[in-house]
Amino acid sequence: MSIPLAAVFGTAAFLSQSPKYTSSALLQLSSTDNSLVFDGDGEDSEFELFQGTQRELVKSRLVMTAALRDPTLSDSRVVREEEFPVEWMLENIKVDTPKQTEIMTISTSEIDPEEAIELVNSVVDAFLVQVVNRERSTRQARLDSIERVFDEKDAELRRKRRDLKSLAERLGTSDSEVLSIAQQFLMQELGDVRSQLISIQLRKWTAQATLRSLDAMDLQTEHTTEKDEEVPLDEVQAALLNDPIYVELMRDRLNAFRLQSEAESAMKETGKTSTFHELRGFVDSELESRKQQIQDELKELAPLRRSQQEFRTRQEREQERSRIAAEVEVLDQLENQLQTQADTLKKEFGSIGNQSVDIEMMRREISQLDEVLGVIAQQREQLRVELRSRPRVEVLQRAEEAEPSGSMKRVALAGMGSLAGLIIPLGLCIGFDLLQNRVNSAASLGQKTGIRLLSSIPLVPIRSIGGKNRRSKRSLFWQHRLSESMKRLASRINNSLPSNRGQMLIVTSANRNEGRTTVSTQLATALAKSGRNVLLVDADFRKPAIHRVYGVPQSPGLSEVFRGEVEAHTVVHKTEQDRLQALTVGAPCETTLQILAQDKLSSHLKEIRTLADIVVVDGGPVLSAADMECVSPHVDGVVIVARRDVSRVGDIQVAIDHLRMAETHVCGAVVVEPLKSDAKPGKHADLGTSPGRRHVDTSRREAPA
């Protein structure tokens, strides 16, 4: 199929390409700006950027739409026949910019050579109008904007210079150093005034404190009460020294003491006592009496002296208070004058400082504006010169003639079509197989579904079992391989199920024709050969097959047992294999299918369990009907059968999920797969056929193995 398809595809591809004509126009892209005065940069990286930008602008929708508006293209095939002419232009107009050149080529291919020329020239004209000339218009608009900005900045500069001049006239100078010196003088004078002000304030505060002290002393004197007090000793001593009587007595006492001393020294020799001792005692008593008299006089005169002292003290305080009050008044006047002077100096200092800052700021702003105006003026002049220079993109040659092209392309397309005709069928087959996600091997089934792999059974040719050469070495080899694989499966089933009587196992599959009946019959035979009594039950109510395999009547059977018409042990058939019996499906009807969904099913299955050690049930496919979901919860295990390259992994996974949702124990999977040594696989036999039967009916049989 691939060869005819390749020929058809190649011929169609060759004939689908009509001969075309190519028309081209040449444009020059200068690597540098074509300025009259200013030199361009000319760096390769910048030119490559410019070159790529122009190439993409030619291929833009702006240029293509403008080209289609050209009146010369009103009758062209592109405008008349293409549903989306802009998209066609974007796809078929080619723009090339060879490296290390200043050339740009705009070309297209068309059946009509005149139309190809018109298309290229329309694109060139649209590019010049929409891009190249627009860039020149953009420069002119930029120049106009720069002119407006220059005029605004120039007017602002003139205004600031006038403000600076008026401020300098008001200050008398515009020199910042002179203003700084004047500000220093004001600062020094302000410091002196503040020092004097602080001194005056300190003296004022001291005088006010003295006034408050005098007031407190007057208040204390008024509240002091008169009381008897002792005359001070020094005052008494002073009064005694000023009293002539007391002085005379003291003189007499001294004379008596002198005379007594002389008399005692004279009488010492005679042993007599002097009479001057009594005279001295008399003088002492007179002195003491005079002293007491003076003290009494001083005590009587104490209130008078105190009042006189207080009067003198009050007069002195009044004089001091008047003096201090006058001093405070003078200090207040001096403080006000100094404060006024300090405020005036501070205001002058601040005014000079602010105006100095204003002058400096104005000078900086004027300097910055001068620099900005210089830059703007330079750009303005540069743009004026550039507008007189030739454009950076120029047309060297317009499209004038078209040359035939595309012959090699037709041959290449024909070859590609032929190759596609060879590859597509193979790709479709591979893609279909991948989409089906079929079982590729026994190991892959376990990896993809997570189910336990019990065994793999060979797919044996029919001639090896039912043909004339079934006794040949090759047939015996296949029979031996089949027998060994079934022995392994039976051994694993025996080990996974309890040894007590009445164990029930269902053999099922996801869909039909996957080898389910083959595995169930061969497994029952292998279990019987292992020495256990086996009952093979056909539970496929849609397409039964056990009665054909063993050549026994289909009815009565399992359906009649479920309906209660017969006892199970009365419809069991013996087979040629020892210890193996078969229970056919019977005659199914709607009543039988309804019983599967009722509670009576469990009691019927318990009766069937009593007929053998192991009951192997050939169940229907899980996904074709709901029969297995009704029966599986009442059995001890389920074996899933899959056929290599036939069964789909997704269906098997869904079937396993259905069984597990029905709380059924899935023992594992059995994979039926062909052997690689079978070089000519033709029809295959159903290995469920009894070894003694020569004629095998395969018309409605499950997938053979």
Side-chain angles (χ1 to χ4, degrees):
M1 183 179 68
S2 297
I3 295 176
L5 191 62
V8 172
F9 279 13
T11 304
F14 184 81
L15 296 178
S16 63
Q17 298 293 322
S18 301
K20 292 186 177 181
Y21 295 88
T22 301
S23 179
S24 303
L26 295 179
L27 286 80
Q28 181 178 2
L29 308 179
S30 297
S31 59
T32 59
D33 289 335
N34 297 321
S35 301
L36 296 176
V37 178
F38 306 99
D39 295 332
D41 295 336
E43 295 185 2
D44 293 339
S45 59
E46 293 186 0
F47 176 65
E48 290 178 0
L49 178 62
F50 173 75
Q51 195 178 42
T53 302
Q54 301 305 311
R55 181 173 60 249
E56 294 301 322
L57 286 173
V58 174
K59 293 283 291 183
S60 64
R61 289 183 176 271
L62 173 67
V63 174
M64 297 303 171
T65 304
L68 290 173
R69 296 195 190 102
D70 192 343
T72 59
L73 297 181
S74 58
D75 295 332
S76 65
R77 183 194 63 81
V78 176
V79 176
R80 288 185 287 101
E81 299 180 4
E82 294 294 335
E83 183 178 2
F84 302 102
V86 175
E87 301 294 337
W88 187 92
M89 295 279 285
L90 291 173
E91 182 178 356
N92 291 275
I93 297 296
K94 308 298 181 184
V95 181
D96 297 324
T97 52
K99 293 183 177 180
Q100 305 299 325
T101 67
E102 295 183 347
I103 301 299
M104 181 170 69
T105 304
I106 301 176
S107 62
T108 188
S109 298
E110 262 294 309
I111 300 174
D112 187 356
E114 296 297 330
E115 186 171 344
I117 294 173
E118 292 176 355
L119 284 172
V120 173
N121 287 332
S122 298
V123 172
V124 171
D125 294 339
F127 174 65
L128 293 176
V129 172
Q130 299 295 328
V131 177
V132 179
N133 295 338
R134 177 173 291 183
E135 183 178 356
R136 193 175 188 87
S137 301
T138 302
R139 288 185 176 182
Q140 182 62 49
R142 183 184 176 191
L143 177 61
D144 296 339
S145 300
I146 289 177
E147 292 281 1
R148 289 194 298 272
V149 173
F150 181 84
D151 293 339
E152 293 175 0
K153 294 298 181 181
D154 185 63
E156 183 180 359
L157 179 61
R158 294 176 183 274
R159 186 178 66 255
K160 288 186 177 296
R161 283 177 174 171
R162 287 196 301 269
D163 295 341
L164 177 62
K165 182 178 179 181
S166 61
L167 182 60
E169 290 176 353
R170 188 168 60 253
L171 293 175
T173 181
S174 62
D175 191 353
S176 58
E177 294 183 358
V178 174
L179 292 175
S180 177
I181 293 172
Q183 192 175 13
Q184 291 178 2
F185 284 147
L186 286 175
M187 175 64 74
Q188 184 176 1
E189 186 176 357
L190 179 61
D192 295 339
V193 171
R194 285 183 174 177
S195 298
Q196 295 177 10
L197 179 61
I198 292 172
S199 177
I200 293 299
Q201 288 176 346
L202 182 60
R203 291 174 58 187
K204 176 182 175 182
W205 294 338
T206 303
Q208 290 175 348
T210 304
L211 285 176
R212 288 193 295 271
S213 176
L214 292 174
D215 293 339
M217 292 175 65
D218 290 343
L219 184 63
Q220 183 178 5
T221 303
E222 292 177 359
H223 289 82
T224 303
T225 58
E226 295 183 1
K227 59 179 181 177
D228 296 335
E229 56 183 6
E230 295 292 334
V231 179
L233 182 60
D234 54 350
E235 188 175 349
V236 173
Q237 293 292 339
L240 292 175
L241 292 177
N242 292 326
D243 185 24
I245 297 174
Y246 184 81
V247 173
E248 186 65 25
L249 289 173
M250 284 294 297
R251 188 179 297 112
D252 293 343
R253 184 176 182 277
L254 290 174
N255 290 328
F257 181 76
R258 179 177 59 79
L259 293 175
Q260 181 181 359
S261 298
E262 292 177 357
E264 287 179 353
S265 59
M267 292 179 179
K268 196 173 193 180
E269 297 177 357
T270 59
K272 294 182 179 181
T273 302
S274 174
T275 59
F276 291 99
H277 179 71
E278 295 177 0
L279 178 61
R280 193 184 67 178
F282 173 75
V283 173
D284 288 339
S285 63
E286 289 295 329
L287 285 173
E288 187 65 28
S289 174
R290 187 58 183 173
K291 181 179 180 181
Q292 185 64 37
Q293 184 180 358
I294 290 174
Q295 286 181 351
D296 293 340
E297 291 176 357
L298 290 175
K299 185 177 296 184
E300 291 175 359
L301 295 175
L304 180 61
R305 290 197 310 273
R306 185 166 52 253
S307 61
Q308 292 177 352
Q309 182 67 29
E310 290 176 358
F311 177 75
R312 288 194 301 270
T313 302
R314 191 175 294 110
Q315 285 182 341
E316 292 175 356
R317 289 176 183 172
E318 287 296 332
Q319 294 175 359
E320 183 70 15
R321 184 180 291 107
S322 300
R323 185 185 65 78
I324 293 175
E327 184 180 359
V328 169
E329 184 177 358
V330 173
L331 291 175
D332 281 337
Q333 294 176 359
L334 291 176
E335 181 182 10
N336 293 333
Q337 293 176 0
L338 291 174
Q339 185 65 47
T340 302
Q341 186 178 0
D343 294 339
T344 303
L345 292 174
K346 183 177 180 181
K347 186 175 180 180
E348 292 178 0
F349 176 80
S351 175
I352 293 177
N354 293 334
Q355 291 173 354
S356 175
V357 173
D358 292 340
I359 288 176
E360 188 64 27
M361 290 181 63
M362 285 183 180
R363 284 181 174 177
R364 290 184 181 179
E365 291 176 356
I366 290 172
S367 177
Q368 292 176 356
L369 283 175
D370 283 335
E371 293 179 1
V372 171
L373 280 175
V375 174
I376 294 175
Q378 182 181 0
Q379 292 185 0
R380 181 182 63 177
E381 296 303 322
Q382 185 175 353
L383 281 174
R384 286 176 178 176
V385 174
E386 287 178 354
L387 286 173
R388 298 182 181 181
S389 62
R390 64 186 181 88
R392 195 171 178 180
V393 178
E394 295 180 311
V395 179
L396 296 180
Q397 179 182 351
R398 296 176 63 85
E400 297 177 354
E401 61 181 27
E403 299 178 355
S405 62
S407 58
M408 294 302 297
K409 182 179 180 181
R410 298 179 70 192
V411 175
L413 288 176
M416 293 175 62
S418 301
L419 182 61
L422 293 172
I423 294 176
I424 287 175
L426 179 60
L428 291 175
C429 293
I430 295 174
F432 179 77
D433 184 66
L434 292 175
L435 290 176
Q436 293 296 317
N437 193 18
R438 300 186 185 278
V439 177
N440 297 324
S441 63
S444 66
L445 177 63
Q447 294 175 356
K448 294 179 180 180
T449 62
I451 192 173
R452 176 190 175 194
L453 181 63
L454 295 175
S455 179
S456 60
I457 300 175
L459 192 64
V460 181
I462 189 172
R463 64 179 180 271
S464 299
I465 294 182
K468 295 180 180 180
N469 298 326
R470 66 182 183 277
R471 295 298 178 184
S472 64
K473 291 183 179 180
R474 187 177 182 84
S475 298
L476 292 175
F477 170 75
W478 293 127
Q479 294 173 22
H480 174 71
R481 293 290 300 272
L482 176 62
S483 176
E484 291 299 322
S485 62
M486 295 311 299
K487 285 180 181 179
R488 286 195 298 272
L489 176 60
S491 175
R492 292 176 181 175
I493 294 296
N494 278 326
N495 294 333
S496 62
L497 295 176
S499 60
N500 56 318
R501 183 180 178 83
Q503 299 300 318
M504 184 172 288
L505 179 72
I506 290 183
V507 179
T508 185
S509 61
N511 299 298
R512 295 192 178 277
N513 301 323
E514 295 183 354
R516 170 176 40 81
T517 301
T518 298
V519 175
S520 61
T521 55
Q522 293 298 319
L523 176 60
T525 301
L527 290 172
K529 288 181 179 181
S530 66
R532 303 187 71 176
N533 294 325
V534 181
L535 175 62
L536 179 61
V537 180
D538 191 352
D540 189 354
F541 297 98
R542 269 72 176 178
K543 291 184 179 181
I546 297 300
H547 63 284
R548 292 196 303 273
V549 173
Y550 292 101
V552 295
Q554 177 179 343
S555 179
L558 184 62
S559 298
E560 287 77 11
V561 173
F562 285 168
R563 294 196 295 268
E565 298 175 0
V566 296
E567 297 291 335
H569 66 276
T570 61
V571 292
V572 172
H573 301 280
K574 293 184 178 181
T575 65
E576 295 181 0
Q577 176 63 47
D578 294 338
R579 296 180 178 274
L580 176 60
Q581 294 178 319
L583 176 59
T584 59
V585 73
C589 63
E590 294 183 0
T591 306
T592 305
L593 298 178
Q594 292 176 359
I595 293 174
L596 294 177
Q598 297 177 0
D599 297 336
K600 296 180 181 180
L601 178 62
S602 178
S603 61
H604 293 308
L605 293 178
K606 287 181 180 179
E607 180 183 358
I608 295 174
R609 286 174 181 266
T610 60
L611 302 179
D613 296 335
I614 298 179
V615 179
V616 179
V617 180
D618 181 17
V622 176
L623 302 182
S624 299
D627 300 350
M628 287 300 96
E629 294 187 29
C630 297
V631 177
S632 60
H634 303 284
V635 301
D636 300 307
V638 176
V639 175
I640 300 291
V641 179
R643 183 172 177 178
R644 179 179 173 181
D645 299 331
V646 175
S647 301
R648 291 192 289 265
V649 175
D651 293 343
I652 296 174
Q653 186 63 57
V654 173
I656 294 172
D657 294 340
H658 286 184
L659 293 172
R660 287 176 175 170
M661 288 176 64
E663 298 182 356
T664 304
H665 171 60
V666 180
C667 297
V670 176
V671 179
V672 180
E673 55 183 353
L675 294 179
K676 296 181 181 180
S677 58
D678 187 11
K680 296 180 181 180
K683 293 183 180 180
H684 295 81
D686 188 341
L687 296 183
T689 305
S690 169
R693 296 184 60 83
R694 297 291 301 272
H695 303 286
V696 181
D697 183 8
T698 61
S699 59
R700 297 181 61 192
R701 198 164 296 166
E702 292 288 322

